[in-house]
């Protein structure tokens, strides 16, 4: 990504424009936006957004899928008697996502009707006729031998790599896993080299199994980062404790630099101007599967902590938490999932920029997706009408101010675009970026990470992640 962005000044200012899009509007609150009618489920009616109330989860309530604590040992014993499906690391991440309600109102891995609606409509219609967004399939693949082992059983146990029971999937449905259709509709291409496809789909089974999920124990990774993995319910409690009357979410899978910080602080300023009293930032790095050349989660979290310690972001108005979902790199399709999940965590504003969830084309020297399509799709996506989308414009390093600033097209000669590639090259070479690009503590963490890579490549024992 060659540029960082901030809130666009071209957001719609006329209420009637919201019949087609749902960008945030710079008006005094309370204001209206397009929403579903609770009576008919139709799109086009308007619901007033009130300060001081967190947005409702999709479907009206948060759907957590945990076994009650008093029943855990009994369910563990039940699981030992059932046919077993061994979970991959990514499967376990999806169990985590489902169990905490990020995908509410889903009650487990998708059955075929939910899978088809997701693939073809990017949404699921509920029994009351209302529509919730669902753009990526949350499915569990099994092979022929597992299918035969299940036989006529109506329930299966999901186990980890040591055969410890993790969950029970009941009232199951097994159906064909058409991989080509799934890949084509999710990514818009079947070109080889898509990271998630290579990791989780190509060599997976030819069947999918759906059903109602009950997770025996909350998923923990014991990696020193579980304290950052707040569930949607825990996040909602935290926002309430802080008396947040607006929550704006920012997802990232890269280190935070001062361009990001400029964007986030400017977003809060604009929300205050819109009439909110205490907008709170959800800084929400993705914590599931990422491709090999992304900075690992441990290092990113250490860098984010330094950003807060150095005062780049205000800890009083910032909640840092880990989003447990795996990363698809599926562009406009996936960014809908990222936005929808944040509704369930209590966010009513979602920041979106250039090429969200995008990647380079695996075969050609170009981006896989149009850089503007993600924010455009979000503004029209079915089931996201209640979410205010905050698109943003470009920011870059301003040589006249020795810091990151919003790009001024009237004086382009004053700006430097520091790409992710350039940033990585500087860190690898132990060189400093221009003053004001990133806080010193955060930059030091990034340099330490690339030093650890170099040590590993040279056959030395790499230093552990700093704590």
């Amino acid at each position: 990504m060659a540029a960082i962005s901030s809130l666009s000044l071209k957001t719609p200012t006329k209420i009637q424009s919201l019949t087609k899009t749902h960008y945030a509007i710079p008006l005094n609150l309370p204001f209206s936006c397009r929403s579903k009618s609770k009576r008919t489920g139709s799109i086009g009616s308007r619901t007033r957004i009130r300060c001081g109330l967190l947005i409702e989860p999709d479907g009206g309530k948060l759907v957590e899928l945990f076994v009650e604590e008093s029943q855990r040992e009994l369910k563990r014993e039940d699981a030992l008697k059932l046919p077993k499906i061994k979970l991959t690391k990514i499967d376990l991440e999806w169990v985590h996502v489902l169990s905490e309600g990020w995908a509410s109102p889903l009650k487990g891995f998708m059955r075929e009707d939910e899978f088809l609606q997701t693939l073809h409509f990017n949404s699921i219609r509920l029994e009351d006729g209302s529509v919730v967004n669902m753009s990526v399939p949350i499915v569990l693949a099994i092979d022929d031998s597992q299918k035969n082992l299940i036989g006529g059983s109506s329930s299966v146990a999901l186990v980890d790599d040591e055969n410890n029971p993790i969950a029970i999937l009941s009232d199951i449905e097994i159906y064909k896993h058409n991989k080509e259709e799934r890949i084509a509709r999710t990514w818009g291409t079947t070109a080889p080299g898509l990271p998630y496809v290579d990791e989780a789909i190509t060599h997976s089974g030819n069947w999918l199994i759906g059903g109602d999920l009950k997770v025996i124990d909350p998923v923990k990774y014991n990696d020193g980062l579980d304290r950052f993995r707040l569930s949607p319910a825990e996040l909602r409690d935290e926002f309430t404790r802080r008396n947040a009357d607006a929550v704006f979410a920012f997802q990232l899978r890269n280190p935070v630099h001062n361009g990001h910080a400029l964007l986030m602080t400017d977003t809060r300023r604009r929300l205050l101007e819109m009439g909110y009293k205490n907008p709170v930032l959800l800084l929400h790095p993705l914590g599931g599967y990422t491709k090999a050349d992304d900075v690992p989660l441990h290092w990113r979290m250490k860098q984010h902590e330094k950003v807060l310690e150095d005062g780049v972001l205000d800890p009083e108005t910032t909640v840092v938490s880990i989003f447990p979902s795996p990363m698809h790199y599926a562009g406009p399709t996936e960014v809908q999932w990222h936005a929808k999940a944040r509704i369930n965590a209590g966010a009513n504003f979602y920041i979106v920029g250039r090429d969200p969830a995008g990647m380079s084309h695996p075969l050609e020297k170009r981006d896989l997706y149009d850089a503007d399509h993600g924010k455009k799709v979000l503004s029209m996506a079915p089931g996201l009408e209640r979410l205010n989308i905050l698109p943003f414009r470009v920011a870059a390093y301003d040589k006249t101010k020795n810091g990151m600033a919003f790009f001024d097209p009237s004086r382009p000669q004053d700006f430097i675009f520091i790409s992710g590639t350039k940033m990585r090259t500087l860190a690898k070479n132990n060189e400093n970026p221009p003053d004001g690009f990133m806080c010193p503590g955060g930059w030091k963490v990034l340099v330490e990470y690339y030093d650890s890579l170099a040590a590993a490549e040279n056959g030395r024992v790499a230093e552990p992640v700093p704590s």
Side-chain angles (χ1 to χ4, degrees):
M1 185 180 298
I4 313 306
S5 304
S6 173
L7 284 169
S8 171
L9 295 179
K10 296 182 179 179
T11 48
T13 57
K14 295 182 179 179
I15 295 287
Q16 57 265 35
S17 68
L18 294 178
T19 57
K20 292 185 179 180
T21 64
H22 37 281
Y23 289 119
I25 51 177
L27 299 175
N28 293 328
L29 295 185
F31 63 88
S32 298
C33 75
R34 190 165 62 98
S35 177
K36 296 189 198 89
S37 163
K38 291 184 179 179
R39 183 175 65 253
T40 65
S42 62
I43 305 275
S45 60
R46 291 175 179 171
T47 299
R48 193 167 296 276
I49 298 177
R50 293 173 290 174
C51 293
L53 296 177
L54 294 180
I55 190 172
E56 282 190 349
D58 274 348
K61 66 177 181 179
L62 201 60
V63 179
E64 294 184 314
L65 303 175
F66 298 114
V67 172
E68 292 184 14
E69 190 169 358
S70 62
Q71 297 294 309
R72 286 177 185 170
E73 287 307 315
L74 178 61
K75 290 298 182 183
R76 211 183 314 274
E77 293 175 6
D78 289 345
L80 294 174
K81 304 170 186 175
L82 296 172
K84 296 175 178 59
I85 296 176
K86 188 165 288 190
L87 299 171
T88 67
K89 182 179 179 181
I90 289 179
D91 291 337
L92 182 61
E93 290 170 355
W94 283 123
V95 168
H96 185 179
V97 166
L98 288 165
S99 69
E100 293 185 341
W102 294 101
S104 294
L106 279 187
K107 296 180 180 179
F109 284 105
M110 291 178 176
R111 297 182 174 91
E112 189 174 30
D113 61 341
E114 296 163 326
F115 174 67
L116 291 175
Q117 289 181 76
T118 298
L119 279 189
H120 293 270
F121 309 133
N122 286 172
S123 61
I124 294 175
R125 187 170 295 279
L126 305 182
E127 290 181 358
D128 65 358
S130 63
V131 171
V132 297
N133 190 270
M134 186 60 66
S135 62
V136 298
I138 301 179
V139 292
L140 182 60
I142 59 174
D143 59 25
D144 289 347
S145 62
Q146 290 171 312
K147 180 176 180 290
N148 292 335
L149 179 66
I150 294 167
S153 177
S154 62
S155 298
V156 297
L158 308 184
V159 302
D160 64 15
D161 55 5
E162 296 180 351
N163 287 319
N164 298 311
I166 299 297
I168 293 175
L169 196 66
S170 59
D171 193 17
I172 61 173
E173 177 185 345
I174 297 175
Y175 56 101
K176 191 70 176 175
H177 186 190
N178 188 332
K179 298 179 188 179
E180 183 177 26
E181 180 185 23
R182 177 183 174 188
I183 295 165
R185 287 198 167 273
T186 303
W187 281 270
T189 180
T190 56
L194 299 169
Y196 185 92
V197 171
D198 291 346
E199 186 73 22
I201 299 179
T202 301
H203 302 293
S204 67
N206 292 322
W207 305 93
L208 296 175
I209 181 170
D212 295 332
L213 183 71
K214 283 295 182 181
V215 177
I216 298 170
D217 292 297
V219 175
K220 300 294 180 185
Y221 300 86
N222 301 313
D223 57 359
L225 297 178
D226 284 332
R227 62 193 173 99
F228 290 108
R229 293 185 174 95
L230 302 181
S231 69
E234 290 169 332
L235 285 169
R236 285 173 171 271
D237 288 345
E238 180 64 18
F239 299 143
T240 300
R241 187 187 70 79
R242 296 192 186 207
N243 294 315
D245 58 355
V247 177
F248 58 108
F250 185 73
Q251 170 169 301
L252 69 169
R253 65 176 197 273
N254 294 303
V256 174
H257 55 62
N258 290 351
H260 297 128
L262 173 67
L263 162 64
M264 290 181 269
T265 54
D266 187 67
T267 298
R268 188 170 196 276
R269 177 188 64 80
R270 287 171 179 256
L271 290 174
L272 289 169
E273 290 178 352
M274 290 169 65
Y276 289 99
K277 302 301 182 185
N278 188 30
V280 171
L281 165 65
L282 172 58
L283 183 62
H284 215 195
L286 185 135
Y289 162 79
T290 54
K291 54 189 175 68
D293 59 351
D294 282 351
V295 177
L297 178 64
H298 276 89
W299 290 95
R300 284 186 278 132
M301 292 304 296
K302 182 65 177 176
Q303 196 268 351
H304 298 346
E305 285 187 282
K306 291 297 182 183
V307 167
L308 290 172
E309 288 177 12
D310 288 0
V312 177
L313 294 172
D314 183 359
E316 295 299 316
T317 58
T318 303
V319 175
V320 181
S321 181
I322 294 171
F323 178 45
S325 176
M327 187 75 192
H328 281 64
Y329 306 92
T333 297
E334 184 175 16
V335 75
Q336 295 174 65
W337 158 242
H338 293 165
K340 172 251 171 47
R342 276 37 180 251
I343 291 176
N344 288 330
N348 54 336
F349 289 87
Y350 186 79
I351 302 172
V352 60
R354 180 188 180 278
D355 197 21
M359 59 172 283
S360 298
H361 194 285
L363 299 179
E364 303 171 14
K365 291 184 177 181
R366 62 178 178 87
D367 289 340
L368 183 55
Y369 305 105
D370 185 290
D372 292 327
H373 282 184
K375 63 185 179 184
K376 290 180 178 179
V377 166
L378 274 186
S379 74
M380 302 178 288
L384 295 182
E385 295 82 14
R386 299 179 299 132
L387 185 65
N388 299 281
I389 306 303
L390 300 173
F392 47 86
R393 59 184 171 91
V394 175
Y397 187 82
D398 188 341
K399 294 182 290 184
T400 68
K401 297 181 178 179
N402 293 324
M404 300 299 289
F406 300 141
F407 179 70
D408 183 351
S410 69
R411 49 184 185 93
Q413 70 281 358
D414 293 334
F415 289 87
I416 301 174
F417 292 94
I418 302 174
S419 67
T421 300
K422 176 66 173 176
M423 181 178 70
R424 288 189 291 272
T425 300
L426 290 171
K428 287 177 182 177
N429 295 335
N430 206 0
E431 300 176 18
N432 290 323
D435 289 343
F437 173 73
M438 184 183 290
C439 67
W443 184 255
K444 182 180 178 182
V445 171
L446 200 57
V447 170
E448 288 172 349
Y449 164 63
Y450 284 108
D451 281 348
S452 74
L453 289 184
E457 290 172 358
N458 292 329
R460 305 197 309 272
V461 176
E463 293 293 322
V465 178
S467 58

